[in-house]
């Protein structure tokens, strides 16, 4: 690939002959040309700039000088593409660095790596006469005006080097180990890279995360992905809200939801807040409970029994009572755009466990009892339920409970698998009345002491 960097300071580009870039030039992978714009200037002073029409501070680079340079460089012969399927014409790109250009992104760089020639026209002073970009665009040249960030440099040279390195390193054969390109920031799904560590193992009392020392590759991969998600949501929420949703697994969605980003099934991202419910949430939680509870009932359960359960057990009055004693009942809600879309309720007081569970041998006394975790239909699969469960479990752990116990209908295998993924294990069974009808639950326990 050929790069032509044109500037009034061509020596600026000397560092591009170092390191991997230098090697790529020696091996012919890149063909680097630094040009002095003044070679195309005329007159005694070989001037390249003049005062701006309309007045104002500074000088503007002349279109005629640039056009002479660009006409020549845009028509240099390029090596004939070889091999089957080689394109019939060359792709030549005129790149103009300017703080008013479109942001240079990895996606843009990946696209530019398919060009045959990139010419970078480096402006100085107040920039290049606007007719240069206009003329070449009009003449059918691919013109890219790009910015490397929301700050202003003295000229385009540094941005030209940024573009050159970012593009060249993607060329086949540039990297010693092409795997290095696979998991880096801004690649793939669009996550920032996870933290990396090497020897020495001990450094100023800072430790290597245990999982990286254990050799469990699946666990290491999960840990890295979770850290990448956590970092992206924290430092670049804009990226976390524009991920390629088709590449997100259920575990990714759970990690994102725990960090405050929820993706719907159609791939739209929303900010999510998981918070402790307040007394004035009682009516909204009751409505949410009423619309979600029927979904977890077995089809054999009569509608009247479900209605009776909702009217007696999930009424606003019941939730008002729950929310009036947060030291005994811990109710977390998931909120998206001001609407409640999920909740989890755990009983943590001295009498948290229902009578049938405290019978000797069933579950440890003093366990917290997770009585409900429901999410609106449209948000299932978004990771919100996972975020709610983890929040409730963490809360119970902080309150000193050694285990969290729950009961879930024995026919609801999906729910049982969900709780299993969250570390709950089957312990026993119990019966559970819904509107006077007896149901059979499995009892699952998550040990918090491990
Ligand atoms: N020239 C001056 N500032 C620039 C920036 N931020 N990006 C690209 N070119 C520039």
């Amino acid at each position: 690939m050929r790069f032509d960097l044109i500037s009034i300071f061509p020596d600026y580009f000397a560092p591009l002959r170092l390191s991997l870039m230098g090697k790529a030039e020696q091996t012919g992978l890149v063909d680097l040309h630094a040009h002095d714009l003044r070679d195309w200037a005329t007159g005694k002073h070989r001037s390249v700039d003049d005062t701006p029409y309309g007045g104002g501070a500074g000088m503007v680079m002349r279109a005629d000088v640039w056009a002479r340079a660009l006409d020549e460089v845009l028509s240099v012969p390029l090596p004939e593409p070889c091999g089957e399927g080689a394109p019939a014409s060359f792709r030549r790109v005129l790149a103009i660095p300017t703080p008013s250009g479109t942001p240079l992104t990895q996606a843009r760089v990946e696209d530019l790596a398919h060009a045959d020639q990139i010419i970078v026209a480096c402006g100085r002073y107040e920039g290049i006469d606007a007719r240069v970009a206009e003329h070449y665009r009009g003449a059918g040249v691919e013109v890219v005006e790009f910015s490397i960030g929301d700050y202003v440099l003295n000229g385009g040279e540094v941005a030209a080097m940024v573009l050159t390195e970012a593009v060249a390193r993607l060329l086949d054969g540039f990297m010693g180990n092409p795997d290095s390109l696979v998991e880096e920031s801004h690649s793939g799904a669009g996550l920032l890279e996870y933290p990396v560590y090497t020897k020495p193992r001990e450094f100023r009392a800072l430790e290597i995360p245990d999982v990286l020392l254990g050799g469990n590759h699946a666990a290491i991969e999960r840990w890295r992905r979770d850290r990448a998600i956590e970092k992206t949501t924290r430092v670049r929420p804009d990226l976390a809200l524009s991920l390629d949703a088709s590449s997100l697994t259920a575990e990714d969605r759970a990690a994102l939801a725990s960090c405050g980003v929820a993706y719907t099934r159609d791939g739209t991202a929303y900010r999510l807040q998981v918070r402790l419910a307040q007394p004035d949430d009682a009516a909204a939680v009751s409505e949410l409970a009423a619309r979600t509870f029927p979904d977890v009932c077995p089809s054999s359960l009569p509608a009247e029994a479900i209605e009776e359960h909702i009217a007696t057990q999930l009424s606003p009055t019941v939730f008002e009572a729950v929310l009036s004693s947060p030291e005994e009942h811990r109710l977390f809600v998931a909120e998206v755009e001001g609407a409640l879309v999920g909740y989890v309720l755990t009983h943590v007081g001295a009498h948290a466990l229902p009578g049938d569970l405290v019978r000797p041998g069933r579950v440890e006394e003093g366990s917290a009892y997770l009585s409900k975790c429901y999410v609106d239909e449209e948000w299932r699969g978004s990771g919100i339920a996972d975020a709610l469960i983890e929040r409730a479990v963490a809360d119970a752990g902080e309150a000193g409970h050694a285990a969290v116990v729950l009961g879930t209908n024995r026919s609801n295998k999906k729910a049982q698998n969900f709780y299993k993924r969250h570390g709950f294990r089957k312990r026993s069974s119990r019966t559970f009345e819904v509107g006077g009808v007896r149901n059979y639950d499995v009892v699952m326990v998550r040990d918090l002491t491990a």
Side-chain angles (χ1 to χ4, degrees), residues 97-99 123 146-156 159:
T98 161
F146 72 96
S147 164
I148 60 163
D150 293 342
Y151 41 79
V152 179
L153 304 164
N154 287 335

Side-chain angles (χ1 to χ4, degrees), residues 132-271:
V132 171
E134 192 182 336
H135 165 73
Y136 286 100
R137 209 170 263 135
V141 175
E142 187 181 344
V143 179
V144 174
E145 290 176 274
F146 72 96
S147 164
I148 60 163
D150 293 342
Y151 41 79
V152 179
L153 304 164
N154 287 335
E157 288 76 10
V158 171
M161 289 202 281
V162 167
L163 177 75
T164 304
E165 180 164 316
V167 170
R169 67 192 291 281
L170 297 181
L171 301 177
D172 269 354
F174 184 96
M175 286 286 185
N177 177 4
D179 286 350
S180 316
L181 295 174
V182 176
E183 288 192 355
E184 60 192 10
S185 297
H186 305 294
S187 65
L191 294 169
L192 300 182
E193 204 178 353
Y194 49 80
V196 293
Y197 304 87
T198 187
K199 294 176 192 68
R201 182 157 163 183
E202 271 154 43
F203 169 69
R204 301 193 180 176
L206 297 173
E207 286 172 11
I208 308 285
D210 278 346
V211 64
L212 300 181
L213 305 169
N216 178 340
H217 295 295
I220 290 173
E221 209 175 298
R222 187 65 255 155
W223 182 88
R224 287 180 165 163
R225 189 100 174 143
D226 287 346
R227 295 293 72 70
I229 286 171
E230 185 276 319
K231 178 153 195 196
T232 310
T233 53
R234 183 165 45 82
V235 308
R236 290 292 304 275
D238 57 319
L239 293 183
L241 288 162
S242 57
L243 299 174
D244 169 10
S246 67
S247 69
L248 299 174
T249 63
E251 289 83 4
D252 293 339
R253 285 164 190 262
L256 279 160
S258 292
C259 296
V261 173
Y263 275 82
T264 56
R265 283 192 288 267
D266 72 2
T268 314
Y270 290 85
R271 283 182 181 277

Side-chain angles (χ1 to χ4, degrees), residues 222-434:
R222 187 65 255 155
W223 182 88
R224 287 180 165 163
R225 189 100 174 143
D226 287 346
R227 295 293 72 70
I229 286 171
E230 185 276 319
K231 178 153 195 196
T232 310
T233 53
R234 183 165 45 82
V235 308
R236 290 292 304 275
D238 57 319
L239 293 183
L241 288 162
S242 57
L243 299 174
D244 169 10
S246 67
S247 69
L248 299 174
T249 63
E251 289 83 4
D252 293 339
R253 285 164 190 262
L256 279 160
S258 292
C259 296
V261 173
Y263 275 82
T264 56
R265 283 192 288 267
D266 72 2
T268 314
Y270 290 85
R271 283 182 181 277
L272 161 77
Q273 197 196 358
V274 173
R275 61 171 174 83
L276 207 50
Q278 301 302 310
D280 61 4
D281 289 314
V285 177
S286 164
E287 279 172 30
L288 173 62
R291 59 178 187 263
T292 50
F293 179 71
D295 298 345
V296 298
C297 295
S299 51
S300 56
L301 202 59
E304 308 78 66
I306 298 175
E307 274 161 31
E308 191 193 319
H309 183 87
I310 291 172
T312 56
Q313 307 300 312
L314 305 176
S315 67
T317 324
V318 167
F319 284 107
E320 271 161 27
V322 160
L323 292 173
S324 67
S325 51
E327 61 298 331
E328 280 184 52
H329 310 292
R330 307 290 288 169
L331 202 158
F332 290 95
V333 286
E335 189 174 333
V336 175
E337 296 199 320
L340 301 192
V341 299
Y343 76 106
V344 61
L345 174 59
T346 310
H347 305 285
V348 295
H351 307 291
L353 291 177
D356 55 346
L357 289 180
V358 274
R359 266 187 269 141
R362 288 243 159 137
V363 296
E364 296 78 359
E365 243 180 88
S367 298
Y369 174 55
L370 195 153
S371 81
K372 298 173 177 69
C373 180
Y374 296 133
V375 169
D376 262 331
E377 207 286 322
E378 62 178 305
W379 287 100
R380 292 186 197 143
S382 67
I384 291 180
D386 305 79
L388 284 166
I389 286 289
E390 286 307 320
R391 185 62 171 268
V393 167
D395 185 64
E398 281 158 26
H401 294 277
V404 178
V405 184
L406 59 84
T408 186
N409 197 286
R410 73 176 176 194
S411 67
N412 192 344
K413 299 289 179 218
K414 216 168 150 189
Q416 289 164 40
N417 284 334
F418 169 79
Y419 290 121
K420 198 168 163 203
R421 272 199 281 124
H422 284 277
F424 288 84
R425 296 290 172 262
K426 275 187 202 169
R427 170 70 64 87
S428 60
S429 58
R430 69 164 185 187
T431 55
F432 186 72
E433 299 271 315
V434 175

